[in-house]
């Protein structure tokens, strides 16, 4: 396993440009960001080179919903831009979602698309992912499809369960379309973290970690992440594991908790 830290939510006490050095100082060779279109791409490249650090994943679908059959062309056009940026900055994964997400703090689905049936939304995702897959393969980038919790953070999000993401990915049949398994989100929606990782290990491209409830660092909730990571290690998991969490007691305490969990491996 390789480990990354999301610098959109950790190190927020620092200016964005200083978070790369902070992550490197704290033992990370990878960082994760959300959107790319609010960033200076040349500056991202410079910061990565300067700190000898890589971007492990970033958002790929921006303001358009994958489950919306009326905007397939727009979705693919934006995704092509995302793939080009990913190639330029050396990022190997793009996170994609069923629904457009509103900016913080309103992180619920922007549109519920109640005019469409679940079958229509599922087929829209399938058709678009089938067209997106060869683009990702050509770019050498993996699209990581993320289901989100609808209990507290993303009310109305269409893709809720790992099994549904897995079914779509198997139908698409591309090595460059995989699951982004967010243990925090899926703990709230479906539970069974270790069982789910075992079942879908071959389809998971990246794992997100945050404790629950609260989406904080390990030890602030009820998930035993030391046991989860040890279980993954026994399975032989080699996926990127990204700590995407909201520090409950400041970034320094959060990083300490993260590194204590990593030290148990």
């Amino acid at each position: 396993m390789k480990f990354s830290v999301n610098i959109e939510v950790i190190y927020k006490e620092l200016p964005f440009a200083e978070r790369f050095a902070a992550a490197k100082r704290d033992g990370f060779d990878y960082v994760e960001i959300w959107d790319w279109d609010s960033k200076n791409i040349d500056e991202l490249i410079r910061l990565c080179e300067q700190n000898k650090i890589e971007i492990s994943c970033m958002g790929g679908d921006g303001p358009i919903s994958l489950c919306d059959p009326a905007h397939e062309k727009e979705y693919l056009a934006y995704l092509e831009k995302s793939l080009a940026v990913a190639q330029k900055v050396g990022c190997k994964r793009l996170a994609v979602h069923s629904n457009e997400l509103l900016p913080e703090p309103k992180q619920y689905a922007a549109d519920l698309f109640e005019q469409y049936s679940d079958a229509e939304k599922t087929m829209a995702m399938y058709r678009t992912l089938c067209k997106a897959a060869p683009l990702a393969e050509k770019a050498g980038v993996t699209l990581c499809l993320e289901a989100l919790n609808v209990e507290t953070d993303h009310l109305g999000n269409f893709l809720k369960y790992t099994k549904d993401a897995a079914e779509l990915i198997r139908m698409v049949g591309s090595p460059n379309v995989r699951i982004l398994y967010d243990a925090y989100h899926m703990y709230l929606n479906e539970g069974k973290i270790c069982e789910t990782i075992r079942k879908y290990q071959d389809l998971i491209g990246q794992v997100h970690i945050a404790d629950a409830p609260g989406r904080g660092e390990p030890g602030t909730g009820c998930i035993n992440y030391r046991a989860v990571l040890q279980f993954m290690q026994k399975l032989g998991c080699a996926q990127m594991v990204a700590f995407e969490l909201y520090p409950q007691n400041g970034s320094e305490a959060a990083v300490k908790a993260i590194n204590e969990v990593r030290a148990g491996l």
Side-chain angles (χ1 to χ4, degrees), residues 67-82:
C67 71
D68 178 8
H71 291 91
E72 177 186 296
K73 289 183 179 179
E74 290 89 339
Y75 186 94
L76 289 169
Y78 187 91
L79 182 65
E80 285 194 84
K81 293 178 184 177
S82 297

Side-chain angles (χ1 to χ4, degrees), residues 61 65-67 96-102 107-113 118 121 125 145-151 153-161 164 185-186 189:
D61 45 14
S65 295
L66 182 59
C67 71
V96 295
H97 308 87
S98 61
N99 297 67
E100 176 195 355
L101 304 178
L102 293 176
Q107 286 210 316
Y108 46 81
D111 192 330
L112 306 186
F113 300 107
D118 286 359
K121 286 183 269 193
M125 293 177 68
L145 180 61
E146 184 177 21
L148 302 172
N149 89 76
V150 293
E151 295 293 325
D153 300 294
H154 298 281
L155 303 181
N157 194 71
F158 178 60
L159 187 63
K160 307 175 185 67
Y161 303 114
D164 295 330
H185 286 304
M186 294 302 96
N189 278 2

Side-chain angles (χ1 to χ4, degrees), residues 41-105:
I41 304 306
D42 291 333
E43 178 74 354
L44 283 180
I45 294 169
R46 185 189 69 79
L47 289 167
C48 287
E49 291 176 347
Q50 178 180 307
N51 294 287
K52 295 181 172 59
I53 206 163
E54 296 180 33
I55 297 175
S56 61
C57 185
M58 61 186 185
D61 45 14
I64 312 163
S65 295
L66 182 59
C67 71
D68 178 8
H71 291 91
E72 177 186 296
K73 289 183 179 179
E74 290 89 339
Y75 186 94
L76 289 169
Y78 187 91
L79 182 65
E80 285 194 84
K81 293 178 184 177
S82 297
L83 289 166
V85 173
Q87 284 185 298
K88 190 171 182 179
V89 303
C91 176
K92 298 298 184 182
R93 297 166 200 83
L94 291 176
V96 295
H97 308 87
S98 61
N99 297 67
E100 176 195 355
L101 304 178
L102 293 176
E104 289 187 288

Side-chain angles (χ1 to χ4, degrees), residues 10-208:
I10 302 176
Y11 306 116
K12 287 187 77 170
E13 302 92 340
L14 299 173
F16 183 78
E18 295 179 20
R19 299 176 196 177
F20 293 78
K24 188 69 174 182
R25 176 200 67 207
D26 289 334
F28 293 96
D29 293 322
Y30 302 89
V31 295
E32 182 177 272
I33 62 173
W34 284 338
D35 69 294
W36 54 263
D37 47 6
S38 68
K39 312 290 193 298
N40 182 310
I41 304 306
D42 291 333
E43 178 74 354
L44 283 180
I45 294 169
R46 185 189 69 79
L47 289 167
C48 287
E49 291 176 347
Q50 178 180 307
N51 294 287
K52 295 181 172 59
I53 206 163
E54 296 180 33
I55 297 175
S56 61
C57 185
M58 61 186 185
D61 45 14
I64 312 163
S65 295
L66 182 59
C67 71
D68 178 8
H71 291 91
E72 177 186 296
K73 289 183 179 179
E74 290 89 339
Y75 186 94
L76 289 169
Y78 187 91
L79 182 65
E80 285 194 84
K81 293 178 184 177
S82 297
L83 289 166
V85 173
Q87 284 185 298
K88 190 171 182 179
V89 303
C91 176
K92 298 298 184 182
R93 297 166 200 83
L94 291 176
V96 295
H97 308 87
S98 61
N99 297 67
E100 176 195 355
L101 304 178
L102 293 176
E104 289 187 288
K106 297 180 179 179
Q107 286 210 316
Y108 46 81
D111 192 330
L112 306 186
F113 300 107
E114 294 176 341
Q115 69 271 37
Y116 303 122
S117 68
D118 286 359
E120 286 178 296
K121 286 183 269 193
T122 298
M123 290 309 298
M125 293 177 68
Y126 169 68
R127 288 192 299 267
T128 304
L129 286 172
C130 283
K131 294 177 182 179
L135 302 176
E137 291 168 11
K138 183 178 179 180
V141 175
T142 299
L143 306 179
C144 294
L145 180 61
E146 184 177 21
L148 302 172
N149 89 76
V150 293
E151 295 293 325
T152 60
D153 300 294
H154 298 281
L155 303 181
N157 194 71
F158 178 60
L159 187 63
K160 307 175 185 67
Y161 303 114
T162 308
K163 65 178 179 61
D164 295 330
E167 287 174 5
L168 276 166
I169 287 164
R170 284 176 176 146
M171 288 192 297
V172 172
S174 169
N176 288 66
V177 183
R178 285 292 179 260
I179 295 169
L180 199 171
Y181 179 77
D182 190 304
Y184 161 75
H185 286 304
M186 294 302 96
Y187 171 82
L188 293 179
N189 278 2
E190 63 191 21
K192 302 180 293 184
I193 292 173
C194 290
E195 293 85 351
T196 302
I197 291 173
R198 185 206 300 273
K199 186 173 183 179
Y200 300 110
Q201 178 186 353
D202 62 322
L203 296 178
I204 294 174
Q206 175 156 316
V207 174
H208 274 172

